[in-house]
Amino acid sequence: LNHGIPVEAAWIGLSELDRGYGYSWSDGSPVGSWLLNWNVDEPNDYSGLEACVQMLARNGRWGDIHCSTRQGFVCKQPAPGVNITRPTPVRRHDGNCPPNFSRFGYKSFITTLLSQYKISAWLGMKRLPSGQYVWEDNEDLGFEGWNKNQPNSAEGNASCVYMSASPGSVGKWNAGSCQDKYAYVCQGFVDSAFPSNVVAPSAQCNITDGFQQFSTSCYKVVNESLSWQDAHVYCSSSKSYLATVMDGFDWAELYLLSYNFTDGVWIGLNDQESPGVYTWDSGYPVTYTRWAHHQPQEKLHEACVYMNYTGLFHKGQCTEPRPFICRYDATPPQEIPLQPGDYCSISNFVQHGSVCYLQVLDKKFTYEMAGRECELQGATLASVHNSSLTFSMAHGQGMWIGLRESDNEGFSWEDSTVLDFTNWALNEPSWLGETLDQSCVVMFWDGHWANIGCDSTYGFLCSIPAGSLI
């Protein structure tokens, strides 16, 4: 069978994806030990990560390997005129979860499990010697949620992966040493041996009106398309408000509630009162945003925000009809007052409110080089959160600020603070073509912003919280 295979190895239908049942053939045929044709020292289940079987072209022997490996495969069917009775594959995944387990099919659900504890937790992902990161359950890596600058290949011992619960990076993945200590999340198959584990609904939420609980909040998904204002009125009539997203835990819950709505759902974020100044329908402070590609923009009549099916924030016309999500809180979130520093310990930094700034205009740098110059000062390229921040520049001058668009999402600040304010120039942000890099942002002499190529050269503005410079 191995003769003529033009590759080093090819998949065959043998695997142990159900670890509790051992190896099995994909067509349900019985596995007889006398038919097993393992290569020397196989199967070895390297690091507990190899559950599928390949046939080596050089000798026809078998070896186990991670199931997400991309390679050729061998199919089998009966020869013409030959009737074969195929065994019915055993269906093993009917039943219930063990006690204290929750049933759900999406890995983003893991973020919601951490909301009660606000602690980081190990995931079932490891790095292979090749540098590739893979899931321990041998699933394909169809979704990646790496934190900024992760995984860090410079950290040679960062072979395991944990999910962050830190503010600003909730739900993002970091690579770390497997010897570090974190909480952990387990996953397994349902089993008919376990009794039904139905959790009684909480009395805190009005379940008769369709609300369901997450943490200390109650949510209602309304599958009726209304304008933003009409959706606001609907939620108000239920003593709730269009959904607020306070942090990454809230975001994960709303994503799970809304991913089936291809046109997105209205949430409470908007800049109707003052363009570029974002507020929540609830009146809560804006502490979290996750903008979609090329967002946020300031287009005519687009002042209301919806969450699209990928979980990202997108502005739209407030009169457009969309489904929406209402929320109310059994315990209103407590705003933790900031403790601003009261000094800038390096003389060339200037304090403005609770932040220290360094403005450099006599030299020009690319965006990346400007960022490194700020890092040398222990700072980052600056974030801007209101229109009161002004700096003296000659007519026509500009300087880099720390706003940049990622490849897959929208604009965000380098210091990971919330993007709750924009001050785009007329007809900005703009794009000359999707192939041209215009992902970095400059503040011009009049205080307005524009997105341009990151290899352009300008002065720059650094910032760091007051009182934190050494």
Side-chain angles (χ1 to χ4, degrees):
L1 183 61
N2 60 306
H3 294 299
I5 295 179
V7 292
E8 292 185 3
W11 291 122
I12 58 175
L14 189 63
S15 72
E16 58 167 350
L17 288 170
D18 286 0
R19 295 283 186 169
Y21 293 90
Y23 282 99
S24 62
W25 289 107
S26 59
D27 65 358
S29 300
V31 179
S33 59
W34 62 276
L35 287 176
L36 299 181
N37 191 32
W38 295 111
N39 200 25
V40 177
D41 297 327
E42 296 284 357
N44 56 26
D45 196 18
Y46 179 81
S47 294
L49 299 174
E50 298 180 338
C52 290
V53 178
Q54 63 179 358
M55 180 171 61
L56 303 176
R58 68 176 184 270
N59 60 9
R61 297 282 184 174
W62 306 345
D64 59 346
I65 191 172
H66 196 277
C67 300
S68 67
T69 305
R70 296 291 188 263
Q71 59 186 11
F73 49 90
V74 179
C75 297
K76 172 187 174 182
Q77 67 177 11
V82 177
N83 294 320
I84 296 179
T85 302
R86 299 178 183 274
T88 302
V90 178
R91 184 178 178 86
R92 296 179 177 131
H93 302 321
D94 290 331
N96 303 299
C97 293
N100 301 319
F101 277 68
S102 300
R103 185 169 187 165
F104 212 90
Y106 297 88
K107 285 188 166 61
S108 54
F109 178 60
I110 297 173
T111 307
T112 68
L113 295 177
L114 303 180
S115 63
Q116 179 180 354
Y117 308 101
K118 303 292 192 296
I119 54 176
S120 300
W122 287 120
L123 299 177
M125 179 179 285
K126 285 184 177 180
R127 185 178 65 182
L128 298 176
S130 64
Q132 176 189 4
Y133 284 88
V134 296
W135 291 114
E136 288 192 14
D137 64 3
N138 274 254
E139 282 191 20
D140 285 351
L141 190 61
F143 165 80
E144 295 186 52
W146 292 108
N147 204 355
K148 187 178 293 185
N149 300 320
Q150 290 288 335
N152 187 352
S153 58
E155 299 180 14
N157 63 340
S159 296
C160 293
V161 178
Y162 65 92
M163 178 178 282
S164 172
S166 301
S169 62
V170 170
K172 296 292 187 179
W173 306 347
N174 294 327
S177 169
C178 302
Q179 304 305 313
D180 294 339
K181 294 184 178 181
Y182 294 102
Y184 53 91
V185 180
C186 299
Q187 142 184 341
F189 293 125
V190 296
D191 196 304
S192 58
F194 297 118
S196 177
N197 184 24
V198 178
V199 179
S202 168
Q204 292 179 317
C205 296
N206 185 359
I207 58 174
T208 60
D209 196 21
F211 282 88
Q212 55 185 292
Q213 184 177 1
F214 169 69
S215 188
T216 59
S217 300
C218 303
Y219 293 91
K220 179 180 180 179
V221 179
V222 182
N223 193 13
E224 177 184 358
S225 294
L226 299 178
S227 68
W228 191 94
Q229 182 61 34
D230 288 345
H232 159 79
V233 172
Y234 180 103
C235 293
S236 296
S237 68
S238 300
K239 297 182 179 180
S240 60
Y241 49 84
L242 280 169
T244 295
V245 184
M246 299 292 291
D247 55 29
F249 300 113
D250 283 354
W251 174 88
E253 175 67 13
L254 254 67
Y255 172 68
L256 293 175
L257 293 174
S258 64
Y259 69 90
N260 280 328
F261 294 94
T262 56
D263 293 329
V265 294
W266 287 126
I267 57 176
L269 195 63
N270 69 94
D271 65 344
Q272 296 179 89
E273 290 189 11
S274 179
V277 180
Y278 293 91
T279 59
W280 287 111
D281 183 38
S282 61
Y284 293 156
V286 180
T287 55
Y288 182 90
T289 54
R290 192 165 180 177
W291 293 102
H293 199 48
H294 292 352
Q295 292 289 322
Q297 300 186 40
E298 295 303 324
K299 289 186 176 180
L300 187 63
H301 304 307
E302 290 191 354
C304 296
V305 178
Y306 62 91
M307 178 184 281
N308 67 21
Y309 70 95
T310 64
L312 302 179
F313 295 3
H314 202 294
K315 296 184 71 175
Q317 294 188 15
C318 300
T319 56
E320 294 175 345
R322 297 183 189 280
F324 54 95
I325 298 178
C326 302
R327 166 179 168 169
Y328 69 88
D329 300 288
T331 303
Q334 300 296 314
E335 184 177 3
I336 301 175
L338 295 175
Q339 301 296 327
D342 56 3
Y343 68 94
C344 298
S345 62
I346 295 181
S347 59
N348 56 349
F349 275 72
V350 176
Q351 186 168 354
H352 190 290
S354 61
V355 181
C356 298
Y357 295 92
L358 171 66
Q359 184 183 31
V360 176
L361 296 175
D362 58 341
K363 299 178 182 179
K364 292 186 177 181
F365 299 87
T366 65
Y367 185 91
E368 295 287 355
M369 293 172 60
R372 286 195 288 271
E373 290 293 317
C374 291
E375 290 174 3
L376 291 175
Q377 301 286 342
T380 63
L381 283 170
S383 59
V384 182
H385 297 280
N386 57 67
S387 58
S388 66
L389 184 64
T390 58
F391 292 90
S392 176
M393 284 186 281
H395 185 89
Q397 275 190 311
M399 60 183 178
W400 293 118
I401 56 176
L403 192 62
R404 186 172 190 174
E405 184 176 40
S406 73
D407 292 337
N408 301 316
E409 297 188 11
F411 290 98
S412 61
W413 293 113
E414 294 285 358
D415 62 5
S416 297
T417 54
V418 63
L419 180 49
D420 56 351
F421 170 79
T422 59
N423 195 27
W424 296 113
L426 183 64
N427 298 321
E428 297 289 348
S430 61
W431 288 268
L432 298 176
E434 292 296 328
T435 59
L436 296 176
D437 171 35
Q438 292 177 272
S439 58
C440 296
V441 177
V442 166
M443 176 191 287
F444 288 114
W445 61 277
D446 61 357
H448 287 104
W449 310 348
N451 63 310
I452 62 173
C454 301
D455 288 334
S456 304
T457 56
Y458 286 93
F460 58 90
L461 182 67
C462 304
S463 70
I464 194 170
S468 60
L469 289 170
I470 298 175

